[in-house]
Amino acid sequence: MNPANPSSCEELTCDLLVVGSGAGGLSTAIAARKHGLDVIVIEKATCFGGTTAFSGGVLWIPGNTQCAAPDTREAMRTYMKDQTGPFYKADAVDAFLDHAPEMVAWFERETAVRFVPTLYPDYHPDAPGGAAIGRSILAAPYDASQLGPELARLRPPLSTITFVGMMFNSSNADLKHFFRATKSVVSAAYVARRLGGHLLDLVRYRRGVQVTSGNALAARLAKTCFDLGIPIHTEAEARELLQADDRVTGARVHTPRGERRIRTRRGVVLACGGYPHDVARITQRYPHLASGGEHLSPVPAENTGDGLRLGAQVGGQVDERFDGVGAAAWMPVSRVPLSQGRTGVFPHLLDRYKPGIIGVLRNGRRFTNESHSYHDVGAAMIEACRGQRETAMWLLCDQATLSKYGLGYAKPAPMPVGGLIRKGYLFKGRTLADLAQAAGIDPEGLEATVREYNAGARTGEDRQFGRGTTAFNRYLADPDQQPNPCVAPIGPGPYYAVKVVMGDLGTFEGLRTTTEGQVLRADGQAVPGLYAVGNDRTSIMGGNYPGAGITLGPAMTFGWITGRHVAGAWPPGQRTTPTRKEACHAA
């Protein structure tokens, strides 16, 4: 059978069918296979890895053994209660806190997956139970050439946040060396070595193979699947769930060679990545779209809500209890003009934290602490623009700041920015009034805002919104800027700005499930044979974003739990029910 898609001449049968190839789906598949089940993974895209392959590859795992920072179970639970508010679900939170560290240890012991510690603070470290360090871990870098011929089907990283296709983690030494390449001989030599190795990889493999972040996690999970004999069929879209006697028994799958049926003995797991590209649903659920505003999601275009639709077709209930601002993980983004009329999406992950960069609305006024998390800035932007014709802000800075840090897709010096100005991505003005006119911002409001901001910034203060007052604010700022790594005055022109609109990293609303992942009907009864993981399952975070990795941490933890549950190896200590093949072999 062709690994890229199911054969045109046979109906497939397995114990478990996983629909989707991100971290949640592959974690489920690996856990089930390790406990004796015959597993098939299908993915409607031409490549595997899902949103995970685009992500930062960070997992929020309270109590992990990677970091020696002191922490307590009571602090973890207190933080979750504070962050989830009325949506706190004790059984799911306890299962997560109990088993997330165990999941990490299991994957490192049993699979190709490896992790390294980070210094990320929680996004709200000053909230009750918040931690200044230690709860987030990161997928270790990986040589993806170990995938062999399957490398061609690994989803590439998001192109707008690579440099000539080369990846680096946002918080590691790579990025610091790239920022200092023109100022330090050591950094220049480091960058030259990295670029040289990357160019050799491009010649040999037609893509970078020294992958980091979520691309490394996706590659490691996929390598484990292939080593275990789990096929990942791409270009295979689940169109309908099959049922017998009210039980889900498989799926009707569309492939380039026609429609096929995959029958299952244990069930189907939905792991389709939520609904960020389901236009009808996001128009209904995203508040900024109700007024006709723009939304650009950098997640894979295939994430169109398939899992939610399939689940609802057999009686599963989609949980829409979160208010509009809690529907998704918000990410401020900008539209990038690429070659041949194409456009890309740039997530503003780093520039907002840097000193000398501020964000204003069309009226020229700031509206939030720009160094808060992307989700918090996005939520603030939605609220500040409520009732207006668009939800947008402009990030702006002076020439010296642009040269030092870049702005959005515009890279730091010595990279040229003229092309981005000509294409309308980057706005430039000799004076603030000129910049305001070019960008469509109120000039009087902008000039007043810069005066007010600079009055405090000269001594390292943000008198309006308190930038730099939390550990998270400072984490991605510039430690060389003192006394406040997030704050510096806006100096002489010329000035630059980029327009930022609303995007997302995925959705929080999904199918209602049990802790083990069984999809629930409106009456609270489980749909026999149907499970949901990842963003197809309602987030345990209650529509909030407490820390780096709050999507991947629960996705892998509950995927691991679901896979073991389907195999009969959950709760812990329960014996695995052998498959027919194993029973025959033992006899």
Side-chain angles (χ1 to χ4, degrees):
M1 186 173 65
N2 186 335
N5 52 68
S7 170
S8 61
C9 60
E10 61 180 315
E11 180 174 277
L12 303 178
T13 301
C14 60
D15 292 318
L16 184 67
L17 173 64
V18 177
V19 186
S21 63
L26 296 189
S27 297
T28 307
I30 292 166
R33 180 70 186 122
K34 280 283 191 176
H35 287 88
L37 297 193
D38 180 20
V39 183
I40 291 175
V41 176
I42 61 172
E43 166 62 60
K44 78 174 184 179
T46 58
C47 47
F48 55 77
T51 305
T52 300
F54 277 176
S55 74
V58 180
L59 281 69
W60 195 68
I61 307 289
N64 73 79
T65 60
Q66 301 277 350
C67 182
D71 206 349
T72 67
R73 176 61 176 270
E74 186 56 35
M76 300 171 199
R77 187 185 286 110
T78 297
Y79 189 60
M80 287 294 289
K81 284 183 177 179
D82 177 80
Q83 296 295 289
T84 58
F87 303 109
Y88 180 77
K89 191 176 179 184
D91 57 344
V93 169
D94 284 344
F96 176 63
L97 296 179
D98 285 341
H99 301 294
E102 182 186 359
M103 176 275 296
V104 170
W106 185 91
F107 270 95
E108 292 203 306
R109 183 177 66 249
E110 301 284 340
T111 78
V113 176
R114 299 290 184 272
F115 298 101
V116 294
T118 77
L119 299 177
Y120 267 110
D122 286 342
Y123 285 174
H124 309 128
D126 297 335
I133 190 175
R135 291 175 176 169
S136 296
I137 60 176
L138 175 69
Y142 187 64
D143 181 356
S145 67
Q146 295 183 52
L147 287 170
E150 296 290 5
L151 174 64
R153 292 198 298 143
L154 172 65
R155 183 181 291 278
L158 188 65
S159 63
T160 54
I161 58 173
T162 65
F163 182 65
V164 294
M166 184 169 62
M167 299 186 66
F168 34 77
N169 291 324
S170 63
S171 58
N172 71 2
D174 277 353
L175 200 59
K176 295 175 183 177
H177 281 303
F178 273 79
F179 277 133
R180 297 170 180 168
T182 60
K183 305 175 181 67
S184 162
V185 174
V186 172
S187 291
Y190 181 91
V191 169
R193 287 195 303 271
R194 286 280 282 120
L195 283 172
H198 177 68
L199 292 175
L200 288 175
D201 288 341
L202 291 180
V203 172
R204 186 174 180 184
Y205 301 105
R206 298 186 181 181
R207 61 160 288 169
V209 297
Q210 303 306 315
V211 297
T212 66
S213 306
N215 217 243
L217 181 59
R220 288 178 175 277
L221 288 166
K223 179 65 164 64
T224 300
C225 285
F226 298 134
D227 288 348
L228 292 173
I230 302 171
I232 302 176
H233 299 301
T234 46
E235 297 183 89
E237 178 183 358
R239 293 281 180 88
E240 179 187 9
L241 295 178
L242 305 177
Q243 287 183 286
D245 299 325
D246 198 38
R247 181 180 182 83
V248 173
T249 58
R252 181 171 60 85
V253 179
H254 176 78
T255 80
R257 299 183 180 186
E259 292 199 342
R260 305 290 168 256
R261 290 173 183 265
I262 302 179
R263 302 283 184 180
T264 62
R265 290 180 283 268
R266 297 292 183 92
V268 174
V269 178
L270 300 173
C272 306
Y275 64 87
H277 288 290
D278 180 345
V279 175
R281 192 180 289 273
I282 67 171
T283 300
Q284 177 191 24
R285 298 301 300 159
Y286 289 5
H288 55 287
L289 289 179
S291 59
E294 187 175 18
H295 185 88
L296 301 173
S297 179
V299 307
E302 294 83 7
N303 294 10
T304 54
D306 294 359
L308 276 61
R309 284 196 299 275
L310 290 167
Q313 287 170 6
V314 296
Q317 184 182 33
V318 178
D319 194 345
E320 294 184 339
R321 291 176 301 156
F322 305 154
D323 60 33
V325 176
W330 305 121
M331 170 58 74
V333 300
S334 51
R335 184 187 293 277
V336 179
L338 302 174
S339 61
Q340 299 176 332
R342 299 175 301 116
T343 60
V345 180
F346 181 88
H348 287 262
L349 291 159
L350 298 175
D351 50 4
R352 297 176 293 101
Y353 303 90
K354 298 301 187 287
I357 296 175
I358 63 172
V360 301
L361 302 175
R362 187 174 292 278
N363 62 10
R365 293 293 183 174
R366 292 175 69 209
F367 61 97
T368 193
N369 179 335
E370 297 90 346
S371 296
H372 281 335
S373 76
Y374 35 80
H375 178 74
D376 289 347
V377 171
M381 194 161 85
I382 290 171
E383 290 295 346
C385 297
R386 194 176 289 274
Q388 300 181 23
R389 63 181 176 86
E390 68 173 350
T391 299
M393 72 170 174
W394 285 258
L395 290 175
L396 62 94
C397 65
D398 60 30
Q399 178 69 64
T401 301
L402 177 74
S403 297
K404 188 173 185 180
Y405 306 115
L407 186 65
Y409 189 67
K411 304 297 188 292
M415 298 301 292
V417 298
L420 294 175
I421 295 172
R422 290 189 293 273
K423 292 180 178 180
Y425 176 79
L426 198 63
F427 300 100
K428 180 179 179 180
R430 183 179 56 83
T431 65
L432 288 172
D434 291 341
L435 179 68
Q437 183 176 10
I441 304 169
D442 177 69
E444 293 183 0
L446 179 59
E447 290 176 336
T449 292
V450 172
R451 282 197 303 271
E452 292 168 7
Y453 169 77
N454 279 352
R458 293 186 182 95
T459 56
E461 296 178 273
D462 176 9
R463 296 173 181 173
Q464 287 77 40
F465 297 102
R467 279 177 72 174
T469 55
T470 74
F472 177 71
N473 276 188
R474 298 187 292 271
Y475 179 64
L476 292 173
D478 183 354
D480 294 335
Q481 177 66 34
Q482 293 298 325
N484 188 334
C486 299
V487 176
I490 296 174
Y495 303 97
Y496 299 86
V498 61
K499 184 178 181 180
V500 176
V501 298
M502 202 70 264
D504 66 65
L505 295 180
T507 47
F508 287 146
E509 297 176 326
L511 292 161
R512 289 185 59 220
T513 68
T514 64
T515 298
E516 295 78 17
Q518 296 167 290
V519 173
L520 298 175
R521 298 187 171 105
D523 62 4
Q525 297 299 307
V527 179
L530 186 62
Y531 304 83
V533 298
N535 285 354
D536 281 355
R537 166 184 174 149
T538 298
S539 170
I540 66 168
M541 300 300 169
N544 200 358
Y545 213 117
I550 60 92
T551 298
L552 286 177
M556 285 193 65
T557 300
F558 288 110
W560 178 70
I561 289 173
T562 296
R564 298 183 69 185
H565 171 79
V566 177
W570 193 265
Q574 184 169 323
R575 291 180 61 84
T576 302
T577 303
T579 65
R580 185 182 315 159
K581 183 186 300 184
E582 289 176 321
C584 292
H585 180 73

